[in-house]
Amino acid sequence: MGLALVSIGLLNFGILQSAREHLMRQRWEQLAAHIDAKREEVRDLLWQFERQAKFVAEQSALERWAEQATNGTLAPAEQAALRHELERATSTFQFFGMHLYAADGTELASTDATTSGHRSTDREAAIRAALGGKPVMDDVHDEGANRQLLTLAVP
């Protein structure tokens, strides 16, 4: 009888261990699937963010105003139109703020929403994008109040 109880106890212990291992493996698979899904969501959001910024940057009027501002020939009315276009794009795409920089890093226009503490980082990203001829995504900045900013520069 004692041997039967020990056998049943060992059998139950074996079943319990097997069930734990199966459950643990199942949880890890669920976690891996969840992480992969979140990674895809983040990738899609960053791609959308980049596509929207490119759309704004490739507007012919914006390119013309940027060239005129760089040359110093942008009239006050056009400067106001440029700022209005940047504000409209910021609102439409729900960006925190937008800055327009010349290739040398000179700020040409801004929506004034971004704090001055991030402007140097934004300027550096804009210079790298202009030199490289392709979009540059910079690090995430902590803005405080549970708000984080990501700098994206498009040439």
Side-chain angles (χ1 to χ4, degrees), residues 62-127:
L62 192 69
E63 288 176 345
R64 185 179 71 250
W65 290 329
E67 185 178 329
Q68 290 173 342
T70 301
N71 297 333
T73 60
L74 189 63
E78 292 170 321
Q79 178 73 25
L82 170 59
R83 186 170 293 115
H84 174 70
E85 183 61 26
L86 291 178
E87 288 170 354
R88 187 181 70 78
T90 299
S91 174
T92 300
F93 294 121
Q94 298 177 342
F95 294 153
F96 181 68
M98 292 185 75
H99 300 282
L100 179 61
Y101 292 99
D104 66 357
T106 304
E107 186 174 294
L108 303 175
S110 173
T111 58
D112 293 336
T114 309
T115 62
S116 60
H118 299 298
R119 286 205 167 132
S120 64
T121 304
D122 296 347
R123 184 177 296 112
E124 291 169 11
I127 291 170

Side-chain angles (χ1 to χ4, degrees), residues 118 141-149:
H118 299 298
H141 314 287
D142 186 20
E143 183 65 20
N146 291 329
R147 179 183 218 136
Q148 295 179 329
L149 302 178

